[in-house]
């Protein structure tokens, strides 16, 4: 397959550039030959995109910049960098609106390839600046690429920290809930153990005692039993839900550690 389809046919670039390019862009890099400089860059990666789409910038010996699809002049490279800025700003807004771990994971998943792309772009711009020399446009492109890499890195770290904090917070809440359930189960077991002998003996010997309620009207004993049962149930619920704070661990002071140091 011919390499002519990768670079525009109208570009009068050294033939070695076309020979060194395959059917796709490959990694982001810079080439130089006979005063010509070729930058192989990637468009900002899209979600779910596996194959990177290439974009090429050619600087001729006269210092004129020409892009494969964004026109001519230094503004072409600025448009390319602005596309990265737009994607970073979009993910920054998504990170600010994220509420759940799924939201943060989605932001991180989309940001990871973008961060790698900006890192490689900055490295390519730095090498191009070294090859071109003290060209004002190349220096500005390099600085702008560094800003993009820095912004993407900061946003990635912030989203990852927020996700880690959210996971830790959920873990603490689950641990606290498990602790409360364990305390409630312990109290219930204590109550069951306390009344178990009485219930067992009453069941074995079939205790039937006169308590004085036999002479009352039929609804009164039943309603009294229901009321007393409900009140005891309320007391039991309050007892089961009493907060139990774990005792804080005592931390040894600096003086005590010094005294124990041989």
């Amino acid at each position: 397959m011919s390499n002519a389809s990768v670079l525009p046919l109208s570009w009068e670039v050294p033939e070695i550039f076309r020979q060194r390019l395959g059917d796709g862009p490959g990694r982001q890099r810079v080439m130089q030959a006979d005063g010509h400089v070729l930058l192989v860059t990637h468009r900002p990666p899209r979600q779910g995109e596996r194959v990177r789409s290439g974009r090429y910038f050619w600087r001729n010996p006269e210092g004129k910049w020409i892009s494969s699809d964004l026109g001519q002049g230094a503004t072409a490279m600025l448009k390319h960098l602005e596309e990265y800025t737009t994607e970073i700003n979009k993910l920054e807004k998504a990170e600010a609106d994220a509420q759940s771990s799924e939201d943060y994971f989605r932001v991180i998943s989309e940001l990871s390839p973008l961060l790698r792309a900006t890192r490689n772009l900055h490295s390519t711009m730095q090498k191009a600046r070294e090859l071109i020399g003290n060209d004002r446009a190349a220096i500005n492109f390099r600085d702008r690429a560094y800003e993009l890499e820095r912004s993407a890195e900061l946003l990635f770290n912030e989203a990852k920290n927020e996700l880690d904090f959210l996971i830790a917070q959920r873990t603490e809440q689950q641990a606290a809930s498990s602790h409360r359930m364990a305390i409630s189960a312990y109290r219930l077991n204590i109550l069951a153990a306390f009344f178990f002998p009485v219930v067992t003996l009453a069941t074995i010997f079939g205790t039937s005692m006169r308590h004085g309620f036999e002479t009352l009207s039929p609804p009164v004993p039943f309603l009294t039993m229901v009321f007393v049962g409900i009140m005891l149930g309320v007391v039991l619920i309050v007892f089961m839900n009493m907060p139990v704070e774990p005792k804080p661990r005592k931390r040894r002071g600096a003086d005590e550690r010094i005294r124990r140091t041989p």
Side-chain angles (χ1 to χ4, degrees):
M1 187 177 292
S2 175
N3 288 337
S5 60
V6 178
L7 296 178
L9 296 177
S10 60
W11 283 10
E12 298 179 358
V13 297
E15 187 62 24
I16 191 174
F17 287 170
R18 300 185 186 275
Q19 295 175 359
R20 293 176 59 184
L21 288 172
D23 297 333
R27 65 181 179 85
Q28 299 188 78
R29 60 198 184 278
V30 60
M31 306 178 189
Q32 184 186 38
D34 301 333
H36 298 263
V37 175
L38 178 67
L39 271 68
V40 181
T41 65
H42 294 165
R43 292 184 177 90
R46 306 294 181 181
Q47 182 179 6
E49 182 183 47
R50 289 189 169 272
V51 180
R52 297 292 176 258
S53 178
R55 179 174 285 159
Y56 308 91
F57 293 89
W58 167 41
R59 185 183 185 274
N60 59 23
E62 289 75 25
K64 182 179 180 181
W65 288 90
I66 304 174
S67 71
S68 58
D69 60 348
L70 293 178
Q72 302 181 5
T75 56
M77 179 61 72
L78 294 178
K79 292 178 182 178
H80 177 67
L81 299 175
E82 187 62 28
E83 290 184 3
Y84 277 89
T85 302
T86 301
E87 293 298 321
I88 292 176
N89 291 338
K90 182 176 67 175
L91 291 177
E92 185 175 3
K93 184 179 183 302
E95 190 273 338
D97 297 337
Q99 299 292 334
S100 63
S101 57
E102 183 179 357
D103 296 335
Y104 286 111
F105 180 77
R106 187 182 301 110
V107 172
I108 293 176
S109 298
E110 296 183 19
L111 190 57
S112 294
L114 188 63
L115 176 58
R116 291 193 299 268
T118 54
R119 284 175 176 171
N120 295 331
L121 179 61
H122 175 224
S123 177
T124 300
M125 291 299 181
Q126 175 62 30
K127 293 179 181 178
R129 209 287 305 166
E130 294 173 357
L131 293 174
I132 295 173
N134 295 326
D135 181 77
R136 179 62 59 181
I139 294 175
N140 290 334
F141 297 157
R142 186 272 316 271
D143 294 343
R144 183 70 180 277
Y146 168 76
E147 293 176 0
L148 291 174
E149 179 189 359
R150 183 62 175 167
S151 298
E153 184 177 8
L154 291 175
L155 182 59
F156 180 85
N157 292 334
E158 182 178 354
K160 189 175 184 303
N161 290 337
E162 290 291 341
L163 178 60
D164 293 341
F165 173 77
L166 188 62
I167 293 175
Q169 190 178 43
R170 294 290 186 271
T171 303
E172 289 181 354
Q173 292 175 355
Q174 293 177 0
S177 178
S178 299
H179 177 71
R180 290 193 299 268
M181 293 177 62
I183 294 298
S184 298
Y186 172 76
R187 290 171 173 171
L188 184 60
N189 290 334
I190 292 297
L191 290 175
F194 180 79
F195 289 104
F196 180 77
V198 177
V199 174
T200 302
L201 293 175
T203 303
I204 293 175
F205 293 102
T207 303
S208 177
M209 302 177 61
R210 296 184 60 85
H211 40 68
F213 289 135
E214 295 86 350
T215 59
L216 298 178
S217 301
V220 175
F222 175 76
L223 295 178
T224 302
M225 181 189 65
V226 171
F227 177 76
V228 173
I230 292 176
M231 295 303 298
L232 292 177
V234 172
V235 173
L236 180 61
I237 291 176
V238 173
F239 174 73
M240 297 288 290
N241 291 326
M242 287 179 59
V244 177
E245 297 295 336
K247 295 182 179 180
R249 295 182 177 179
K250 295 183 179 180
R251 300 182 59 185
R252 293 187 302 172
D255 296 337
E256 183 179 354
R257 289 197 296 268
I258 293 175
R259 288 196 301 268
R260 294 188 180 185
T261 302

